[in-house]
Coordinates of all heavy atoms in Angstrom, one line a residue:
M72 N -15.1 -40.4 17.5 CA -14.5 -39.6 18.5 C -15.4 -39.4 19.7 O -16.6 -39.3 19.6 CB -14.2 -38.2 17.9 CG -13.6 -37.2 18.9 SD -13.0 -35.7 18.2 CE -14.5 -34.9 17.8
Q73 N -14.8 -39.5 20.9 CA -15.6 -39.4 22.1 C -15.2 -38.2 22.9 O -14.0 -38.1 23.2 CB -15.5 -40.7 23.0 CG -16.3 -40.6 24.2 CD -16.3 -41.9 25.0 OE1 -15.8 -42.9 24.6 NE2 -16.9 -41.9 26.2
L74 N -16.1 -37.4 23.3 CA -15.9 -36.3 24.2 C -16.3 -36.7 25.6 O -17.5 -36.9 25.8 CB -16.6 -35.0 23.7 CG -16.2 -34.5 22.4 CD1 -17.0 -33.2 22.0 CD2 -14.7 -34.1 22.3
S75 N -15.4 -36.8 26.5 CA -15.7 -37.3 27.8 C -15.8 -36.2 28.9 O -15.7 -36.4 30.0 CB -14.7 -38.4 28.3 OG -13.4 -37.8 28.2
V76 N -16.0 -35.0 28.4 CA -16.1 -33.8 29.3 C -17.5 -33.2 29.0 O -17.9 -32.9 27.9 CB -15.0 -32.8 29.0 CG1 -15.2 -31.5 29.9 CG2 -13.7 -33.4 29.3
N77 N -18.2 -33.0 30.1 CA -19.5 -32.3 30.0 C -19.3 -30.8 30.4 O -18.9 -30.5 31.5 CB -20.5 -33.0 31.0 CG -21.9 -32.4 30.9 OD1 -22.3 -31.9 29.9 ND2 -22.7 -32.6 32.0
I78 N -19.6 -30.0 29.5 CA -19.4 -28.5 29.7 C -20.8 -27.8 29.8 O -21.7 -28.1 29.0 CB -18.6 -27.9 28.5 CG1 -17.3 -28.5 28.4 CG2 -18.5 -26.4 28.7 CD1 -16.5 -28.1 27.2
N79 N -20.9 -27.0 30.8 CA -22.1 -26.2 31.0 C -21.7 -24.9 31.7 O -21.7 -24.8 32.9 CB -23.2 -26.9 31.8 CG -24.5 -26.2 31.8 OD1 -24.6 -25.1 31.4 ND2 -25.5 -26.8 32.4
N80 N -21.2 -24.0 30.9 CA -20.7 -22.7 31.4 C -21.5 -21.5 31.0 O -22.0 -21.5 29.9 CB -19.3 -22.5 30.8 CG -18.3 -23.5 31.3 OD1 -18.4 -24.0 32.4 ND2 -17.3 -23.8 30.5
E81 N -21.6 -20.6 31.9 CA -22.3 -19.3 31.6 C -21.5 -18.2 32.2 O -21.1 -18.3 33.4 CB -23.7 -19.4 32.2 CG -24.6 -18.2 31.8 CD -26.0 -18.4 32.0 OE1 -26.4 -19.5 32.5 OE2 -26.8 -17.5 31.8
Y82 N -21.3 -17.2 31.4 CA -20.5 -16.0 31.8 C -21.2 -14.7 31.5 O -21.9 -14.6 30.5 CB -19.1 -15.9 31.1 CG -18.3 -17.2 31.2 CD1 -18.3 -18.2 30.3 CD2 -17.4 -17.3 32.3 CE1 -17.5 -19.3 30.4 CE2 -16.6 -18.4 32.4 CZ -16.7 -19.4 31.4 OH -15.9 -20.5 31.5
T83 N -21.0 -13.7 32.4 CA -21.4 -12.4 32.1 C -20.3 -11.5 32.5 O -19.8 -11.5 33.6 CB -22.7 -12.0 32.9 OG1 -23.8 -12.9 32.5 CG2 -23.2 -10.6 32.6
V84 N -19.9 -10.6 31.6 CA -18.8 -9.7 31.8 C -19.3 -8.3 31.4 O -19.9 -8.1 30.3 CB -17.6 -10.0 31.0 CG1 -16.5 -9.0 31.2 CG2 -17.1 -11.4 31.3
E85 N -19.1 -7.3 32.3 CA -19.5 -5.9 32.0 C -18.2 -5.1 31.9 O -17.4 -5.1 32.8 CB -20.4 -5.3 33.1 CG -20.8 -3.9 32.7 CD -21.7 -3.3 33.8 OE1 -22.9 -3.5 33.7 OE2 -21.2 -2.7 34.7
L86 N -18.0 -4.5 30.7 CA -16.8 -3.7 30.4 C -17.3 -2.2 30.4 O -18.2 -1.9 29.7 CB -16.2 -4.1 29.1 CG -15.8 -5.5 28.9 CD1 -15.4 -5.7 27.4 CD2 -14.6 -5.8 29.8
T87 N -16.6 -1.4 31.1 CA -16.8 0.0 31.1 C -15.8 0.7 30.3 O -14.6 0.5 30.5 CB -16.8 0.6 32.6 OG1 -17.8 -0.1 33.3 CG2 -17.1 2.1 32.6
L88 N -16.2 1.4 29.3 CA -15.2 2.1 28.4 C -14.6 3.3 29.2 O -15.2 3.9 30.0 CB -15.9 2.7 27.2 CG -16.6 1.7 26.3 CD1 -17.3 2.4 25.1 CD2 -15.6 0.6 25.8
P89 N -13.3 3.5 28.9 CA -12.7 4.7 29.5 C -13.4 6.0 29.0 O -14.0 6.0 27.9 CB -11.3 4.7 28.9 CG -11.1 3.3 28.4 CD -12.4 2.8 28.0
A90 N -13.4 7.0 29.8 CA -14.1 8.3 29.5 C -13.5 8.8 28.2 O -12.3 8.7 28.0 CB -13.8 9.3 30.6
G91 N -14.4 9.2 27.3 CA -13.9 9.8 26.0 C -13.7 8.8 24.9 O -13.3 9.1 23.9
Y92 N -14.1 7.5 25.2 CA -13.9 6.5 24.2 C -15.3 6.0 23.7 O -16.3 6.1 24.4 CB -13.2 5.3 24.7 CG -11.7 5.5 24.7 CD1 -11.1 6.3 25.7 CD2 -10.9 5.0 23.7 CE1 -9.7 6.6 25.7 CE2 -9.5 5.2 23.7 CZ -8.9 6.0 24.7 OH -7.6 6.2 24.7
E93 N -15.3 5.5 22.5 CA -16.6 4.9 21.9 C -16.3 3.6 21.2 O -15.2 3.3 20.9 CB -17.2 5.9 20.9 CG -16.3 6.2 19.7 CD -16.8 7.3 18.8 OE1 -17.9 7.7 19.0 OE2 -16.1 7.6 17.8
I94 N -17.4 2.9 21.0 CA -17.3 1.6 20.3 C -17.3 1.8 18.8 O -18.2 2.5 18.3 CB -18.4 0.6 20.7 CG1 -18.3 0.3 22.2 CG2 -18.4 -0.6 19.9 CD1 -19.5 -0.4 22.8
V95 N -16.3 1.3 18.1 CA -16.3 1.4 16.7 C -16.9 0.1 16.1 O -17.7 0.2 15.1 CB -14.8 1.5 16.2 CG1 -14.8 1.4 14.7 CG2 -14.2 2.7 16.7
E96 N -16.6 -1.0 16.7 CA -17.1 -2.3 16.1 C -17.2 -3.3 17.3 O -16.3 -3.3 18.1 CB -16.2 -2.8 15.0 CG -16.6 -4.0 14.3 CD -15.7 -4.4 13.2 OE1 -15.1 -3.5 12.5 OE2 -15.5 -5.6 13.0
H97 N -18.2 -4.1 17.2 CA -18.3 -5.2 18.2 C -18.8 -6.5 17.5 O -19.4 -6.4 16.4 CB -19.2 -4.8 19.4 CG -20.7 -4.7 19.0 ND1 -21.6 -5.7 19.0 CD2 -21.4 -3.5 18.7 CE1 -22.8 -5.2 18.6 NE2 -22.7 -3.9 18.5
P98 N -18.6 -7.7 18.1 CA -18.9 -8.9 17.4 C -20.4 -9.2 17.2 O -20.7 -10.1 16.4 CB -18.3 -10.0 18.3 CG -17.2 -9.3 19.0 CD -17.7 -7.9 19.2
G99 N -21.2 -8.5 17.9 CA -22.7 -8.8 17.8 C -23.1 -10.0 18.6 O -22.8 -10.1 19.8
Q100 N -23.7 -11.0 17.9 CA -24.2 -12.1 18.6 C -24.1 -13.4 17.8 O -24.1 -13.3 16.5 CB -25.6 -11.9 19.2 CG -26.7 -11.8 18.2 CD -28.0 -11.6 18.8 OE1 -28.1 -11.0 19.9 NE2 -29.1 -12.0 18.2
L101 N -24.1 -14.5 18.4 CA -24.1 -15.8 17.8 C -25.0 -16.7 18.6 O -24.8 -16.8 19.8 CB -22.7 -16.4 17.6 CG -22.6 -17.8 17.0 CD1 -23.1 -17.7 15.5 CD2 -21.2 -18.3 17.1
D102 N -25.9 -17.4 18.0 CA -26.8 -18.3 18.7 C -26.9 -19.6 17.9 O -27.4 -19.6 16.8 CB -28.2 -17.7 18.8 CG -29.1 -18.4 19.8 OD1 -28.7 -19.4 20.4 OD2 -30.2 -17.9 20.0
L103 N -26.3 -20.7 18.4 CA -26.2 -22.0 17.8 C -26.9 -23.0 18.7 O -26.6 -23.1 19.9 CB -24.8 -22.4 17.5 CG -23.9 -21.6 16.6 CD1 -22.5 -22.1 16.6 CD2 -24.5 -21.6 15.2
K104 N -27.7 -23.9 18.0 CA -28.2 -25.0 18.7 C -28.2 -26.2 17.8 O -28.7 -26.1 16.6 CB -29.7 -24.7 19.2 CG -30.3 -25.8 20.0 CD -31.6 -25.5 20.5 CE -32.1 -26.6 21.4 NZ -33.5 -26.2 21.9
S105 N -27.6 -27.3 18.2 CA -27.4 -28.4 17.3 C -27.4 -29.7 18.2 O -27.5 -29.6 19.4 CB -26.2 -28.4 16.5 OG -25.0 -28.7 17.3
D106 N -27.3 -30.8 17.5 CA -27.2 -32.1 18.3 C -25.9 -32.2 19.1 O -25.8 -33.0 20.0 CB -27.3 -33.3 17.3 CG -28.6 -33.4 16.6 OD1 -29.6 -32.9 17.2 OD2 -28.7 -34.0 15.5
F107 N -25.0 -31.3 18.8 CA -23.7 -31.3 19.4 C -23.7 -30.5 20.7 O -22.8 -30.6 21.5 CB -22.6 -30.9 18.5 CG -22.6 -31.6 17.2 CD1 -22.9 -31.0 16.0 CD2 -22.3 -33.0 17.2 CE1 -22.9 -31.7 14.8 CE2 -22.3 -33.7 16.0 CZ -22.7 -33.1 14.8
G108 N -24.6 -29.5 20.8 CA -24.6 -28.6 21.9 C -25.3 -27.3 21.7 O -26.0 -27.2 20.7
R109 N -25.0 -26.4 22.5 CA -25.7 -25.1 22.5 C -24.7 -24.0 22.8 O -23.8 -24.2 23.7 CB -26.8 -25.0 23.5 CG -27.5 -23.7 23.7 CD -28.7 -23.5 22.8 NE -29.2 -22.2 23.1 CZ -30.1 -21.6 22.3 NH1 -30.5 -22.2 21.3 NH2 -30.5 -20.4 22.6
Y110 N -24.7 -22.9 22.0 CA -23.8 -21.8 22.3 C -24.6 -20.5 22.0 O -25.2 -20.4 21.0 CB -22.6 -21.8 21.3 CG -21.7 -20.6 21.5 CD1 -20.6 -20.7 22.5 CD2 -21.8 -19.5 20.8 CE1 -19.8 -19.6 22.7 CE2 -21.0 -18.4 21.0 CZ -20.0 -18.4 21.9 OH -19.2 -17.4 22.2
R111 N -24.5 -19.6 23.0 CA -25.0 -18.2 22.8 C -23.9 -17.3 23.3 O -23.5 -17.3 24.4 CB -26.3 -18.0 23.6 CG -27.5 -18.6 23.0 CD -28.7 -18.2 23.8 NE -28.5 -18.6 25.2 CZ -29.4 -18.9 26.1 NH1 -30.6 -18.9 25.7 NH2 -29.1 -19.2 27.3
G112 N -23.6 -16.4 22.4 CA -22.6 -15.3 22.8 C -23.2 -14.0 22.3 O -23.8 -13.9 21.2
K113 N -23.2 -12.9 23.1 CA -23.8 -11.7 22.7 C -23.0 -10.5 23.4 O -22.7 -10.5 24.5 CB -25.2 -11.7 23.2 CG -26.0 -10.5 22.8 CD -27.5 -10.7 23.2 CE -28.4 -9.6 22.7 NZ -29.8 -9.7 23.0
F114 N -22.8 -9.5 22.5 CA -22.2 -8.2 23.0 C -23.3 -7.2 22.9 O -23.8 -7.0 21.8 CB -21.0 -7.8 22.1 CG -19.8 -8.7 22.3 CD1 -19.6 -9.9 21.8 CD2 -18.7 -8.1 23.1 CE1 -18.5 -10.7 22.0 CE2 -17.6 -8.9 23.3 CZ -17.5 -10.1 22.8
E115 N -23.5 -6.5 24.0 CA -24.6 -5.5 24.0 C -24.0 -4.2 24.5 O -23.8 -4.0 25.7 CB -25.7 -5.9 24.9 CG -26.4 -7.1 24.5 CD -27.5 -7.5 25.5 OE1 -28.6 -7.1 25.4 OE2 -27.1 -8.3 26.5
P116 N -23.7 -3.2 23.5 CA -23.2 -1.9 24.0 C -24.3 -1.0 24.4 O -25.4 -1.0 23.9 CB -22.6 -1.4 22.7 CG -23.1 -2.1 21.6 CD -23.7 -3.4 22.1
E117 N -24.1 -0.3 25.5 CA -25.1 0.6 26.1 C -24.5 1.6 27.0 O -23.8 1.2 28.0 CB -26.2 -0.2 26.8 CG -27.3 0.6 27.2 CD -28.4 -0.2 27.9 OE1 -28.8 -1.2 27.3 OE2 -28.9 0.2 28.9
N118 N -24.6 2.9 26.7 CA -24.2 4.0 27.6 C -22.8 3.8 28.2 O -22.6 3.8 29.4 CB -25.2 4.1 28.8 CG -26.6 4.4 28.4 OD1 -26.8 5.1 27.4 ND2 -27.6 3.9 29.0
G119 N -21.8 3.7 27.3 CA -20.4 3.6 27.7 C -20.0 2.3 28.3 O -18.9 2.2 28.9
K120 N -20.8 1.3 28.1 CA -20.5 0.0 28.6 C -20.8 -1.1 27.6 O -21.5 -0.8 26.6 CB -21.3 -0.3 29.9 CG -21.0 0.5 31.1 CD -21.8 0.1 32.3 CE -21.4 1.1 33.4 NZ -22.0 0.6 34.7
V121 N -20.2 -2.2 27.8 CA -20.5 -3.4 26.9 C -20.8 -4.6 27.8 O -20.0 -4.9 28.7 CB -19.3 -3.7 26.0 CG1 -19.7 -4.9 25.1 CG2 -19.0 -2.5 25.1
L122 N -21.9 -5.2 27.6 CA -22.2 -6.4 28.4 C -22.0 -7.6 27.5 O -22.6 -7.6 26.4 CB -23.7 -6.3 28.8 CG -24.2 -7.5 29.8 CD1 -23.4 -7.4 31.1 CD2 -25.6 -7.4 30.0
Y123 N -21.2 -8.5 27.9 CA -20.9 -9.7 27.1 C -21.4 -10.9 27.9 O -21.1 -11.1 29.1 CB -19.4 -9.9 26.9 CG -19.0 -11.2 26.3 CD1 -19.5 -11.7 25.1 CD2 -18.2 -12.1 27.0 CE1 -19.1 -12.9 24.6 CE2 -17.8 -13.3 26.5 CZ -18.3 -13.7 25.3 OH -17.9 -14.9 24.8
T124 N -22.3 -11.6 27.3 CA -22.9 -12.8 27.9 C -22.6 -14.0 27.0 O -22.6 -13.9 25.8 CB -24.4 -12.7 28.1 OG1 -25.0 -12.4 26.9 CG2 -24.7 -11.7 29.1
K125 N -22.3 -15.1 27.7 CA -21.9 -16.4 27.0 C -22.5 -17.6 27.7 O -22.4 -17.6 28.9 CB -20.4 -16.5 26.9 CG -19.9 -17.8 26.3 CD -18.4 -17.8 26.4 CE -17.8 -19.2 26.1 NZ -16.4 -19.2 26.1
K126 N -23.1 -18.5 26.9 CA -23.6 -19.7 27.5 C -23.2 -20.8 26.5 O -23.4 -20.7 25.3 CB -25.1 -19.7 27.6 CG -25.8 -21.0 27.9 CD -26.2 -21.1 29.4 CE -26.9 -22.4 29.6 NZ -26.6 -22.9 30.9
F127 N -22.5 -21.8 27.1 CA -21.9 -22.9 26.3 C -22.2 -24.2 26.9 O -21.9 -24.4 28.1 CB -20.4 -22.7 26.1 CG -19.7 -23.7 25.2 CD1 -20.3 -24.1 24.0 CD2 -18.6 -24.3 25.6 CE1 -19.7 -25.0 23.2 CE2 -17.9 -25.2 24.8 CZ -18.5 -25.6 23.5
V128 N -22.9 -25.1 26.2 CA -23.3 -26.4 26.7 C -22.8 -27.4 25.7 O -23.2 -27.4 24.5 CB -24.9 -26.5 26.9 CG1 -25.2 -27.9 27.4 CG2 -25.4 -25.4 27.9
L129 N -22.0 -28.3 26.2 CA -21.5 -29.4 25.4 C -21.6 -30.7 26.2 O -20.9 -30.9 27.1 CB -20.0 -29.1 25.0 CG -19.4 -30.0 23.9 CD1 -20.1 -29.8 22.6 CD2 -17.9 -29.8 23.8
P130 N -22.6 -31.5 25.8 CA -22.8 -32.8 26.6 C -21.7 -33.8 26.3 O -21.0 -33.6 25.3 CB -24.2 -33.2 26.2 CG -24.3 -32.7 24.8 CD -23.6 -31.4 24.7
L131 N -21.8 -34.9 27.0 CA -20.9 -36.0 26.7 C -21.3 -36.5 25.3 O -22.5 -36.7 25.1 CB -21.1 -37.1 27.7 CG -20.7 -36.8 29.2 CD1 -21.1 -37.9 30.1 CD2 -19.2 -36.5 29.3
L132 N -20.4 -36.7 24.4 CA -20.7 -37.0 23.1 C -19.9 -38.2 22.5 O -18.7 -38.3 22.9 CB -20.5 -35.8 22.1 CG -21.3 -34.6 22.3 CD1 -20.8 -33.5 21.4 CD2 -22.7 -34.9 21.8
L133 N -20.5 -38.9 21.7 CA -19.8 -39.9 20.9 C -20.1 -39.5 19.4 O -21.3 -39.5 19.0 CB -20.3 -41.3 21.1 CG -19.7 -42.4 20.4 CD1 -18.2 -42.5 20.6 CD2 -20.3 -43.8 20.7
I134 N -19.1 -39.0 18.7 CA -19.3 -38.5 17.4 C -18.8 -39.5 16.4 O -17.6 -39.8 16.4 CB -18.5 -37.1 17.2 CG1 -19.0 -36.1 18.3 CG2 -18.7 -36.6 15.8 CD1 -18.2 -34.9 18.4
F135 N -19.7 -39.9 15.6 CA -19.4 -40.9 14.6 C -18.8 -40.2 13.3 O -19.0 -39.0 13.1 CB -20.7 -41.7 14.2 CG -21.2 -42.5 15.3 CD1 -22.2 -42.1 16.1 CD2 -20.6 -43.8 15.6 CE1 -22.7 -42.9 17.2 CE2 -21.1 -44.5 16.7 CZ -22.1 -44.1 17.5
P136 N -18.0 -41.0 12.6 CA -17.3 -40.3 11.4 C -18.3 -39.6 10.5 O -17.9 -38.5 10.0 CB -16.7 -41.5 10.7 CG -16.5 -42.5 11.8 CD -17.6 -42.4 12.7
E137 N -19.5 -40.1 10.3 CA -20.4 -39.4 9.4 C -20.9 -38.1 9.9 O -21.5 -37.2 9.2 CB -21.6 -40.3 9.0 CG -22.4 -40.8 10.1 CD -21.9 -42.1 10.8 OE1 -20.8 -42.5 10.6 OE2 -22.8 -42.7 11.5
N138 N -20.7 -37.9 11.2 CA -21.2 -36.6 11.9 C -20.1 -35.6 12.2 O -20.3 -34.5 12.7 CB -21.9 -36.9 13.2 CG -23.2 -37.8 13.0 OD1 -23.8 -37.7 11.9 ND2 -23.5 -38.6 13.9
Y139 N -18.8 -36.0 11.9 CA -17.7 -35.2 12.3 C -17.7 -33.8 11.6 O -17.4 -32.8 12.2 CB -16.4 -35.9 12.0 CG -15.2 -35.1 12.4 CD1 -14.9 -34.9 13.8 CD2 -14.5 -34.4 11.5 CE1 -13.8 -34.1 14.2 CE2 -13.4 -33.6 11.9 CZ -13.1 -33.4 13.2 OH -12.1 -32.6 13.6
T140 N -18.1 -33.8 10.3 CA -18.1 -32.5 9.6 C -19.1 -31.5 10.2 O -18.7 -30.4 10.4 CB -18.5 -32.8 8.1 OG1 -17.6 -33.6 7.5 CG2 -18.6 -31.5 7.3
G141 N -20.2 -32.0 10.6 CA -21.2 -31.1 11.3 C -20.6 -30.6 12.7 O -20.8 -29.5 13.0
F142 N -20.0 -31.5 13.4 CA -19.4 -31.1 14.7 C -18.3 -30.1 14.4 O -18.2 -29.1 15.2 CB -18.8 -32.4 15.4 CG -18.1 -32.0 16.7 CD1 -18.9 -31.6 17.8 CD2 -16.8 -32.1 16.8 CE1 -18.3 -31.3 19.0 CE2 -16.2 -31.8 18.0 CZ -16.9 -31.4 19.1
K143 N -17.5 -30.3 13.4 CA -16.4 -29.4 13.1 C -17.0 -28.0 12.8 O -16.5 -27.0 13.2 CB -15.5 -29.9 12.0 CG -14.4 -29.0 11.6 CD -13.6 -29.6 10.5 CE -12.5 -28.5 10.1 NZ -11.9 -28.9 8.8
E144 N -18.0 -28.0 12.0 CA -18.7 -26.7 11.6 C -19.2 -26.0 12.8 O -19.1 -24.8 12.9 CB -19.8 -26.9 10.6 CG -19.3 -27.4 9.2 CD -20.3 -27.8 8.3 OE1 -21.5 -27.9 8.7 OE2 -20.0 -28.1 7.1
F145 N -19.8 -26.7 13.8 CA -20.3 -26.1 15.0 C -19.2 -25.5 15.8 O -19.3 -24.3 16.2 CB -21.0 -27.3 15.8 CG -21.4 -26.9 17.2 CD1 -22.6 -26.1 17.4 CD2 -20.7 -27.3 18.3 CE1 -23.0 -25.8 18.7 CE2 -21.2 -27.0 19.6 CZ -22.3 -26.2 19.8
C146 N -18.1 -26.2 16.0 CA -16.9 -25.7 16.7 C -16.3 -24.5 16.0 O -15.9 -23.5 16.6 CB -15.9 -26.8 16.9 SG -16.5 -28.1 18.0
T147 N -16.1 -24.6 14.7 CA -15.5 -23.5 13.9 C -16.3 -22.2 14.0 O -15.7 -21.2 14.1 CB -15.4 -24.0 12.4 OG1 -14.5 -25.1 12.4 CG2 -14.7 -22.9 11.6
A148 N -17.6 -22.3 13.9 CA -18.5 -21.1 14.1 C -18.3 -20.4 15.4 O -18.2 -19.2 15.5 CB -20.0 -21.5 13.9
I149 N -18.1 -21.2 16.5 CA -17.9 -20.7 17.8 C -16.5 -20.0 17.8 O -16.3 -18.9 18.3 CB -18.0 -21.8 18.9 CG1 -19.5 -22.2 19.0 CG2 -17.5 -21.2 20.2 CD1 -19.7 -23.5 19.8
D150 N -15.5 -20.7 17.3 CA -14.1 -20.2 17.3 C -14.1 -18.9 16.6 O -13.4 -17.9 17.0 CB -13.2 -21.2 16.7 CG -12.8 -22.3 17.6 OD1 -13.1 -22.3 18.8 OD2 -12.3 -23.3 17.1
Q151 N -14.7 -18.8 15.4 CA -14.7 -17.6 14.6 C -15.4 -16.4 15.3 O -14.9 -15.3 15.3 CB -15.3 -17.8 13.2 CG -14.5 -18.7 12.3 CD -15.2 -19.0 11.0 OE1 -16.4 -18.8 10.9 NE2 -14.4 -19.5 10.1
F152 N -16.5 -16.7 16.0 CA -17.1 -15.6 16.8 C -16.3 -15.1 17.9 O -16.1 -13.9 18.1 CB -18.5 -16.1 17.3 CG -19.2 -15.1 18.1 CD1 -19.9 -14.1 17.6 CD2 -19.2 -15.2 19.5 CE1 -20.5 -13.1 18.3 CE2 -19.9 -14.3 20.3 CZ -20.5 -13.2 19.7
E153 N -15.7 -16.1 18.6 CA -14.9 -15.7 19.8 C -13.5 -15.0 19.4 O -12.9 -14.4 20.3 CB -14.6 -16.9 20.7 CG -15.9 -17.3 21.4 CD -15.8 -18.3 22.5 OE1 -14.7 -18.8 22.7 OE2 -16.7 -18.5 23.2
K154 N -13.1 -15.1 18.2 CA -11.9 -14.4 17.8 C -12.2 -13.0 17.3 O -11.2 -12.3 17.0 CB -11.2 -15.2 16.6 CG -10.6 -16.5 17.1 CD -9.9 -17.2 16.0 CE -9.3 -18.5 16.5 NZ -8.8 -19.3 15.4
K155 N -13.4 -12.6 17.1 CA -13.7 -11.3 16.7 C -13.3 -10.3 17.7 O -13.4 -10.5 18.9 CB -15.2 -11.2 16.4 CG -15.6 -11.9 15.1 CD -17.1 -11.7 14.9 CE -17.5 -12.5 13.6 NZ -18.9 -12.3 13.3
D156 N -13.0 -9.1 17.3 CA -12.5 -8.0 18.2 C -13.6 -7.0 18.5 O -14.5 -6.8 17.8 CB -11.4 -7.2 17.5 CG -10.2 -8.0 17.3 OD1 -9.8 -8.9 18.1 OD2 -9.5 -7.8 16.2
L157 N -13.5 -6.5 19.7 CA -14.3 -5.4 20.2 C -13.4 -4.2 20.0 O -12.3 -4.1 20.6 CB -14.7 -5.5 21.7 CG -15.3 -4.3 22.3 CD1 -16.7 -4.0 21.7 CD2 -15.5 -4.6 23.8
I158 N -13.7 -3.3 19.1 CA -12.8 -2.2 18.8 C -13.4 -0.9 19.3 O -14.5 -0.5 19.1 CB -12.7 -2.1 17.2 CG1 -12.1 -3.4 16.7 CG2 -11.8 -0.9 16.9 CD1 -12.1 -3.5 15.2
I159 N -12.5 -0.2 20.1 CA -12.9 1.1 20.6 C -11.9 2.1 20.2 O -10.8 1.8 19.8 CB -13.0 1.1 22.2 CG1 -11.7 0.8 22.8 CG2 -14.1 0.1 22.6 CD1 -11.6 1.0 24.3
R160 N -12.3 3.4 20.2 CA -11.4 4.5 19.9 C -11.7 5.7 20.7 O -12.9 5.9 21.2 CB -11.4 4.8 18.4 CG -12.7 5.5 18.0 CD -12.7 6.0 16.6 NE -14.0 6.4 16.2 CZ -14.5 6.3 15.0 NH1 -13.8 5.7 14.0 NH2 -15.8 6.6 14.8
R161 N -10.8 6.6 20.8 CA -11.0 7.9 21.5 C -11.9 8.7 20.6 O -11.7 8.8 19.4 CB -9.7 8.6 21.7 CG -9.8 9.9 22.5 CD -8.5 10.6 22.7 NE -7.5 9.8 23.3 CZ -7.3 9.7 24.6 NH1 -8.0 10.5 25.4 NH2 -6.3 9.0 25.1
K162 N -12.9 9.3 21.2 CA -13.8 10.2 20.4 C -13.1 11.4 19.9 O -12.2 11.9 20.6 CB -15.0 10.6 21.3 CG -15.9 9.5 21.7 CD -17.1 10.1 22.6 CE -18.0 9.0 23.1 NZ -19.0 9.5 24.0
T163 N -13.4 11.8 18.7 CA -12.7 13.0 18.2 C -13.5 14.2 18.6 O -14.8 14.2 18.6 CB -12.7 12.9 16.6 OG1 -14.0 12.7 16.1 CG2 -11.7 11.8 16.2
P164 N -12.9 15.2 19.1 CA -13.6 16.4 19.5 C -14.3 17.1 18.3 O -13.9 17.1 17.2 CB -12.5 17.4 20.0 CG -11.2 16.7 19.8 CD -11.4 15.4 19.1
R165 N -15.5 17.5 18.6 CA -16.3 18.2 17.5 C -15.9 19.6 17.4 O -15.6 20.3 18.3 CB -17.8 18.1 17.9 CG -18.3 16.7 18.1 CD -19.8 16.8 18.3 NE -20.3 15.5 18.8 CZ -20.7 14.5 18.0 NH1 -20.6 14.6 16.7 NH2 -21.1 13.4 18.5
E166 N -15.8 20.0 16.1 CA -15.3 21.3 15.8 C -16.5 22.3 15.6 O -17.5 22.0 15.2 CB -14.4 21.3 14.6 CG -13.1 20.5 14.9 CD -12.2 20.5 13.7 OE1 -12.2 21.4 12.9 OE2 -11.4 19.5 13.7

């Protein structure tokens, strides 16, 4: 298999939570480096905000049949991380 697209993307997104909301769960981080490329994704909650950073590098590749399983595992790990939810909820008033 030949990948004829060279990818080198970097994103930073800052999300501000609505007043009165809190983070229940976030995806955390994933850092992968292999012969197939590099991926770093990270969610950093802080003071009512969440900073999401992502760096994805995928060079031009020729993937031989014996390496396909490793490539698939690399891609699957990224897909699973990116499908995770950032869950927020309204804070419950303290009694």
Side-chain angles (χ1 to χ4, degrees):
M72 177 170 69
Q73 182 174 351
L74 297 178
S75 57
V76 176
N77 185 24
I78 298 172
N79 189 351
N80 294 329
E81 190 164 357
Y82 302 96
T83 300
V84 177
E85 183 179 272
L86 303 170
T87 301
L88 299 179
Y92 280 77
E93 65 185 351
I94 297 169
V95 176
E96 187 176 324
H97 66 85
Q100 66 182 29
L101 177 65
D102 194 356
L103 296 175
K104 186 174 182 181
S105 77
D106 293 337
F107 307 113
R109 171 94 181 166
Y110 177 89
R111 280 186 308 209
K113 186 175 185 179
F114 286 80
E115 298 176 89
E117 186 176 313
N118 299 325
K120 295 183 180 189
V121 178
L122 186 64
Y123 170 60
T124 55
K125 172 182 170 178
K126 171 103 174 140
F127 184 45
V128 177
L129 190 67
L131 299 174
L132 291 173
L133 182 58
I134 301 167
F135 295 98
E137 61 270 17
N138 297 330
Y139 181 75
T140 299
F142 178 70
K143 181 181 175 191
E144 290 170 356
F145 175 76
C146 294
T147 299
I149 294 168
D150 286 345
Q151 289 176 345
F152 177 76
E153 291 193 347
K154 288 180 182 177
K155 291 182 178 181
D156 293 324
L157 171 66
I158 302 172
I159 65 171
R160 70 172 171 215
R161 186 182 303 268
K162 293 179 184 178
T163 54
R165 300 189 194 271
E166 297 181 25

